Amino acid sequence: MAAITGQKSEEDRKHPVDQTLPPLKMFTSGLQHVAAMYAGVVAPPMIVGPACGLSPTETAFLMGASLFTAGIATLLQTLGFWKVGAKLPFVNGVSFAGVTPMVAIGKAQSPENALPIIFGAVIVAGVLGFFVAPYFSKLVRFFPPVVTGTVITLIGVSLLPVAFNWSQGGNSQAPDYGSLTNIGMAALTFLIVLVLRKVLRGFLQQISILLGLVAGTLIAIPVGITDFAAITKADLIGFPTPFHFGAPQFDVAAIVSMCIVMLVCMTESTADMLALGKIVGRPADERTIEGGLRADTLGTAVSPLFNGFANSAFAQNIGLVAMTKVRSRFVVATSGLILIVLGLSPVAASVISLVPLPVLGGAGIVLFGSVAASGIQTLASAAMEKGENSLIVAAAVGIGLIPIAAPEFYHNLPKDMLVVLDSGISTGCLVAIILNLAFNHFGKGADTAGEGDATEAAGTEAAAVDAAAPEADDGAADEVRIPQQPDRRAPDSGDPASAPAH
């Protein structure tokens, strides 16, 4: 009995990130993550495949390979080994940052050489990134709250247009794009998710996004916007044969392009890790970021073996963690296993694809808005009255919004520059870092920078302590909160997210 009690006490003392949930809760919470990011994983191969001259059947194979490799990368990130993995609840998948250069490579090469050249470039970029990760992670010192808050806000705001596009149908060339039916389904799903979050309690409240997607999909069937064609055409088993499109080829220009993409991915992943670290109450330090970047880059280097592309952390799933308050990395590891199964079974993957994009868009507005709200919350503790912090935020957000508000703004610049400039997260992050150094570390503002940084550091530490406080008190061990945000739920709305498995 004492041994059992001791085991329970040890489990209770674990940080919620390291705790497990009962199998059913683990599966449904993991499935919710997959549903939230599925469209983001299959979209890049849907674009790159035709650009490389692939048939619809081959493009479908490429989509399955992307799901499979996303699962492997997610397991590397959440479970990890040696010095690989942030061991945070991160979902990894195909990075959209590489789509533009990969399409350019595909159009410049013959169909039989396009993918082998892309895969060769991705392998080299992943390997180089793996060895650069320990040095890149040292940039964490340049991410005080005024920078991280700005970047987290930009992550959420940058993702919202994706949700708006899904809400209209996803394909701007389709005749029903932006139709009343599509927007109506998105609005209905949005309302369903909000109502479920309000009326449900405990675990059901945590999977309200999944329940909302299921409800929206069922309603969409009689409406006529659910497509069952994918299920009827899908095979039961479909292993992504290694080097299915040929052995990798190594082209210097392609390698340079993908190395730039890798740096962009590493910048965004660093920002994502800092954001998620704050949300789960385990601030990402240099070692965490180093492990996370190693997982990203190793996953990227391995992906081409199974016909996949560059992988990075999926920011949209940060919103899901923030909203559900389920912080266990093992839940996301379960998502990785589900992704691997989907990659091995086209039929299973097609079931997830039944969720119409307008339904996904309605839920996405809530998810992505949650990320932006977390960023605003971080900025609230960033000593905005100190020095030029408010100016740093204003300039970084303004620059970061350019690709969103004016997508053609940079169209006359060299295409190689667009890899960075077309990412509002990357440009906003760079502007925030540079201005923070200029205003708070150099010049006449350097004298007050120490005071401001100390205040910010104290705020960050207080946030971490505040987030971890429930773990020190068994009576409040099952309450999970976003740092700095007071919990205003009713006392009887217990959240079992951090409860140990029984």
Side-chain angles (χ1 to χ4, degrees):
M1 179 68 72
I4 295 176
T5 303
Q7 290 175 358
K8 284 187 176 182
S9 298
E10 182 179 352
E11 181 71 16
D12 288 341
R13 286 196 298 269
K14 286 183 179 179
H15 192 284
V17 168
D18 296 321
Q19 291 180 349
T20 58
L21 302 180
L24 179 60
K25 294 182 179 181
M26 193 86 75
F27 175 77
T28 51
S29 298
L31 184 62
Q32 186 169 234
H33 274 284
V34 173
M37 54 84 75
Y38 179 88
V41 174
V42 300
M46 287 175 64
I47 298 171
V48 175
C52 294
L54 298 188
S55 66
T57 301
E58 291 174 322
T59 300
F61 177 89
L62 203 63
M63 292 163 58
S66 294
L67 290 167
F68 181 79
T69 55
I72 293 175
T74 298
L75 291 177
L76 287 174
Q77 192 68 268
T78 53
L79 302 181
F81 67 94
W82 185 54
K83 296 181 180 180
V84 176
K87 296 183 180 178
L88 290 173
F90 256 130
V91 175
N92 274 42
V94 182
S95 173
F96 231 98
V99 170
T100 299
M102 287 191 295
V103 168
I105 295 170
K107 291 181 177 179
Q109 305 293 332
S110 59
E112 63 272 13
N113 293 328
L115 281 175
I117 288 176
I118 289 174
F119 291 148
V122 171
I123 290 173
V124 173
V127 171
L128 290 178
F130 185 85
F131 288 108
V132 169
Y135 307 100
F136 200 93
S137 64
K138 296 183 184 301
L139 295 176
V140 68
R141 71 187 67 177
F142 301 122
F143 285 83
V146 68
V147 174
T148 56
T150 300
V151 174
I152 297 169
T153 302
L154 279 173
I155 290 172
V157 174
S158 297
L159 288 171
L160 281 171
V162 177
F164 301 152
N165 182 50
W166 289 346
S167 298
Q168 296 176 87
N171 181 7
S172 60
Q173 305 302 317
D176 65 342
Y177 184 75
S179 66
L180 183 60
T181 300
N182 287 342
I183 294 178
M185 279 305 309
L188 181 59
T189 305
F190 176 80
L191 290 174
I192 289 174
V193 170
L194 293 183
V195 170
L196 291 177
R197 285 289 300 178
K198 177 64 177 178
V199 302
L200 297 180
R201 291 292 181 269
F203 176 67
L204 291 179
Q205 185 186 63
Q206 295 167 0
I207 62 169
S208 58
I209 292 290
L210 180 61
L211 297 177
L213 292 175
V214 171
T217 302
L218 293 176
I219 296 172
I221 294 176
V223 173
I225 61 172
T226 303
D227 186 5
F228 291 91
I231 291 182
T232 60
K233 298 177 181 178
D235 296 327
L236 181 61
I237 303 295
F239 184 77
T241 311
F243 297 131
H244 176 80
F245 298 98
Q249 300 178 27
F250 302 97
D251 177 84
V252 174
I255 289 173
V256 171
S257 294
M258 293 312 300
C259 283
I260 294 174
V261 169
M262 195 73 258
L263 290 175
V264 172
C265 291
M266 292 171 74
T267 301
E268 293 189 359
S269 287
T270 298
D272 290 341
M273 279 183 270
L274 291 166
L276 186 60
K278 286 182 176 293
I279 288 171
V280 301
R282 179 183 278 180
D285 56 15
E286 185 176 317
R287 176 180 293 183
T288 300
I289 292 174
E290 179 182 338
L293 294 178
R294 279 198 169 118
D296 279 356
T297 52
L298 180 59
T300 294
V302 171
S303 286
L305 173 65
F306 300 102
N307 314 286
F309 303 121
N311 285 292
S312 65
F314 262 43
Q316 52 261 51
N317 291 83
I318 297 175
L320 190 56
V321 174
M323 181 177 174
T324 64
K325 302 180 178 66
V326 178
R327 300 187 279 181
S328 171
R329 60 189 172 99
F330 298 105
V331 164
V332 178
T334 303
S335 303
L337 293 175
I338 294 173
L339 287 168
I340 290 175
V341 171
L342 295 180
L344 296 175
S345 176
V347 168
S350 64
V351 172
I352 299 293
S353 68
L354 283 178
V355 180
L357 283 180
V359 171
L360 195 59
I365 293 174
V366 181
L367 290 178
F368 306 157
S370 297
V371 179
S374 297
I376 295 171
Q377 174 188 313
T378 301
L379 287 174
S381 66
M384 296 294 287
E385 74 283 358
K386 296 288 185 180
E388 304 295 342
N389 282 351
S390 60
L391 181 60
I392 294 171
V393 175
V397 170
I399 297 297
L401 288 177
I402 288 177
I404 304 169
E408 301 299 321
F409 188 85
Y410 299 114
H411 73 282
N412 282 326
L413 297 180
K415 290 185 178 180
D416 291 341
M417 296 178 64
L418 299 184
V419 175
V420 177
L421 295 177
D422 275 347
S423 170
I425 299 172
S426 295
T427 53
C429 180
L430 291 174
V431 170
I433 291 173
I434 292 171
L435 292 184
N436 178 62
L437 288 173
F439 289 129
N440 290 335
H441 293 274
F442 302 112
K444 63 180 182 179
D447 294 335
T448 59
E451 180 185 354
D453 288 347
T455 302
E456 292 180 344
T460 303
E461 183 178 355
V465 172
D466 182 53
E471 301 163 54
D473 184 353
D474 291 339
D478 59 351
E479 191 64 40
V480 180
R481 294 182 292 134
I482 300 174
Q484 300 283 350
Q485 179 175 336
D487 191 0
R488 297 184 176 87
R489 290 178 301 157
D492 62 345
S493 60
D495 185 350
S498 61
H502 295 290

